Amino acid sequence: QVQLLESGGGLAQEGGSLELSCVASGSVYAMNAMSWYRQGPGQQRELVAAINPNGRTNYANSVRGRFTISRDNARNTTYLQMRALTTEDPAVYYCRGEIAPRMGPMLDYWGRGTQVTVSL
Protein backbone atom coordinates (compact mmCIF):
# COMPACT_ATOMS: atom_id res chain seq x y z
CA GLN A 1 0.00 0.00 0.00
CA VAL A 2 0.97 3.64 -0.53
CA GLN A 3 0.16 6.43 1.88
CA LEU A 4 0.72 10.20 1.79
CA LEU A 5 1.09 12.04 5.07
CA GLU A 6 1.15 15.84 5.30
CA SER A 7 2.68 17.74 8.18
CA GLY A 8 3.75 21.26 9.06
CA GLY A 9 0.40 22.97 9.18
CA GLY A 10 -0.58 25.23 12.01
CA LEU A 11 -0.95 28.87 12.93
CA ALA A 12 1.08 31.65 11.36
CA GLN A 13 0.81 35.41 11.54
CA GLU A 14 -0.14 37.43 8.51
CA GLY A 15 3.07 37.98 6.58
CA GLY A 16 4.69 34.95 8.19
CA SER A 17 5.85 31.62 6.84
CA LEU A 18 5.15 27.91 7.13
CA GLU A 19 6.64 24.87 5.44
CA LEU A 20 4.51 21.84 4.67
CA SER A 21 5.90 18.38 4.07
CA CYS A 22 4.38 15.37 2.35
CA VAL A 23 5.97 11.97 2.85
CA ALA A 24 5.05 9.03 0.65
CA SER A 25 5.41 5.72 2.43
CA GLY A 26 4.61 2.08 1.89
CA SER A 27 5.49 0.15 -1.23
CA VAL A 28 6.64 3.22 -3.18
CA TYR A 29 8.67 2.52 -6.28
CA ALA A 30 8.64 5.97 -7.86
CA MET A 31 6.91 9.32 -7.52
CA ASN A 32 5.83 10.99 -10.73
CA ALA A 33 4.08 14.37 -10.64
CA MET A 34 3.43 15.72 -7.15
CA SER A 35 1.20 18.60 -6.20
CA TRP A 36 -0.45 20.55 -3.42
CA TYR A 37 -4.12 21.49 -3.31
CA ARG A 38 -6.09 23.50 -0.80
CA GLN A 39 -9.71 23.90 0.21
CA GLY A 40 -10.80 26.89 2.27
CA PRO A 41 -14.06 27.29 4.18
CA GLY A 42 -16.94 27.32 1.73
CA GLN A 43 -14.53 26.94 -1.19
CA GLN A 44 -13.85 24.28 -3.78
CA ARG A 45 -10.57 22.43 -3.75
CA GLU A 46 -8.01 24.15 -5.95
CA LEU A 47 -4.56 23.38 -7.27
CA VAL A 48 -1.86 25.40 -5.52
CA ALA A 49 1.39 24.09 -6.98
CA ALA A 50 2.72 21.13 -8.94
CA ILE A 51 6.15 19.73 -9.65
CA ASN A 52 7.33 17.23 -12.25
CA PRO A 53 10.00 14.58 -11.57
CA ASN A 54 12.62 16.77 -13.26
CA GLY A 55 11.78 19.70 -11.00
CA ARG A 56 9.65 21.79 -13.35
CA THR A 57 6.99 23.67 -11.40
CA ASN A 58 3.64 25.35 -11.90
CA TYR A 59 1.79 27.65 -9.51
CA ALA A 60 -1.63 29.12 -9.05
CA ASN A 61 -1.64 32.84 -9.73
CA SER A 62 -2.70 33.52 -6.15
CA VAL A 63 0.51 32.02 -4.72
CA ARG A 64 3.09 32.59 -7.45
CA GLY A 65 6.07 34.44 -6.03
CA ARG A 66 5.16 33.56 -2.44
CA PHE A 67 5.03 29.74 -2.36
CA THR A 68 7.73 27.33 -3.49
CA ILE A 69 7.19 23.64 -4.18
CA SER A 70 10.15 21.27 -4.11
CA ARG A 71 10.88 17.58 -3.81
CA ASP A 72 13.46 15.17 -2.46
CA ASN A 73 13.05 11.96 -4.41
CA ALA A 74 15.50 10.04 -2.23
CA ARG A 75 13.30 10.75 0.79
CA ASN A 76 9.98 10.39 -1.09
CA THR A 77 9.11 13.83 0.23
CA THR A 78 7.45 16.87 -1.32
CA TYR A 79 7.58 20.32 0.29
CA LEU A 80 5.59 23.52 0.08
CA GLN A 81 7.33 26.57 1.48
CA MET A 82 4.78 29.29 2.13
CA ARG A 83 5.81 32.85 2.87
CA ALA A 84 4.12 36.24 3.00
CA LEU A 85 0.96 34.50 4.16
CA THR A 86 -2.29 36.41 3.79
CA THR A 87 -5.87 35.99 4.91
CA GLU A 88 -6.54 34.39 1.52
CA ASP A 89 -4.37 31.39 2.40
CA PRO A 90 -6.13 29.66 5.36
CA ALA A 91 -7.32 26.25 4.20
CA VAL A 92 -6.80 22.55 4.52
CA TYR A 93 -3.82 21.73 2.33
CA TYR A 94 -3.73 18.35 0.61
CA CYS A 95 -0.85 16.49 -0.98
CA ARG A 96 -1.55 14.63 -4.21
CA GLY A 97 0.83 12.27 -5.94
CA GLU A 98 1.06 10.17 -9.06
CA ILE A 99 2.87 7.21 -7.56
CA ALA A 100 3.96 3.86 -8.89
CA PRO A 101 3.99 1.20 -6.19
CA ARG A 102 6.07 -1.91 -6.47
CA MET A 103 4.18 -4.59 -8.39
CA GLY A 104 1.36 -2.21 -9.29
CA PRO A 105 0.20 0.47 -11.72
CA MET A 106 0.74 4.19 -11.29
CA LEU A 107 -2.23 5.78 -9.51
CA ASP A 108 -3.27 9.03 -7.88
CA TYR A 109 -2.97 9.18 -4.11
CA TRP A 110 -4.20 11.83 -1.68
CA GLY A 111 -3.18 12.72 1.83
CA ARG A 112 -5.68 13.48 4.57
CA GLY A 113 -4.76 17.17 4.69
CA THR A 114 -3.17 19.59 7.12
CA GLN A 115 -4.79 22.78 8.43
CA VAL A 116 -3.19 26.17 7.86
CA THR A 117 -4.51 29.13 9.85
CA VAL A 118 -3.44 32.77 9.55
CA SER A 119 -3.89 35.29 12.33
CA LEU A 120 -3.82 39.07 12.11
Side-chain angles (χ1 to χ4, degrees):
Q1 295 182 354
V2 172
Q3 301 89 34
L4 297 179
L5 180 61
E6 304 99 334
S7 63
L11 176 64
Q13 291 187 339
E14 187 176 19
S17 300
L18 285 174
E19 185 178 65
L20 307 182
S21 298
C22 171
V23 179
S25 62
S27 59
V28 177
Y29 179 76
M31 302 192 309
N32 195 36
M34 302 296 295
S35 57
W36 288 93
Y37 289 73
R38 69 184 181 187
Q39 186 170 16
Q43 304 291 321
Q44 294 185 348
R45 188 173 299 184
E46 64 175 349
L47 176 66
V48 175
I51 184 168
N52 291 334
N54 63 359
R56 184 173 181 177
T57 59
N58 288 285
Y59 296 94
N61 290 334
S62 58
V63 307
R64 184 176 292 110
R66 299 188 298 118
F67 291 10
T68 302
I69 187 170
S70 61
R71 61 193 291 161
D72 186 337
N73 293 327
R75 296 182 177 180
N76 289 335
T77 302
T78 308
Y79 304 94
L80 184 68
Q81 183 184 20
M82 306 182 294
R83 60 182 178 87
L85 287 164
T86 75
T87 55
E88 298 177 351
D89 297 322
V92 177
Y93 283 72
Y94 298 91
C95 178
R96 177 198 175 202
E98 296 178 346
I99 297 174
R102 291 194 294 177
M103 304 297 178
M106 182 175 293
L107 298 172
D108 282 345
Y109 295 87
W110 289 86
R112 297 292 181 90
T114 184
Q115 177 72 54
V116 171
T117 305
V118 177
S119 64
L120 298 176

